[in-house]
Amino acid sequence: MAIEAAWIIFDPGATPTLRAGKRIDSVGRNGPGDYSVNLTDDLVSANALPFASVGGVTAIPTQANLIHIKCEVVSVRQIRIRARNFAGTLTDTGLAEVSMYVHADLTPVGE
């Protein structure tokens, strides 16, 4: 079965904790600030556009802990989320909650 949309809210850290989600099999930590979200079913297209955000930061934003989130479709069953600080280093510092939504009907411009 192919899916059009999936979403997740998880607490990051050494052992990510799934708080809520739809069509999510698991979330794993590849390293600091680097997470893989595994879906229960295939996305309709690997050209889907995932969106991620950070909520409930645990520290006052500074240049040292300012977070930039990037997420990408690795395959029709996996999304990768990376969080970087101002210096560009992958980090979990300041993250309290990560949210991700992907909709397979949205494709990049020019595709």
Side-chain angles (χ1 to χ4, degrees), residues 73-107:
V73 175
V74 175
S75 71
V76 292
R77 285 256 179 142
Q78 189 177 74
I79 309 294
R80 193 161 184 188
I81 300 172
R82 293 185 182 113
R84 297 182 186 274
N85 64 15
F86 186 76
T89 305
L90 288 166
T91 183
D92 295 323
T93 302
L95 292 180
E97 173 185 291
V98 177
S99 302
M100 185 274 303
Y101 174 80
V102 60
H103 196 293
D105 286 344
L106 300 174
T107 54

Side-chain angles (χ1 to χ4, degrees), residues 36-50:
S36 293
V37 177
N38 300 299
L39 307 174
T40 57
D41 298 292
D42 293 351
L43 291 167
V44 172
S45 167
N47 288 328
L49 283 177

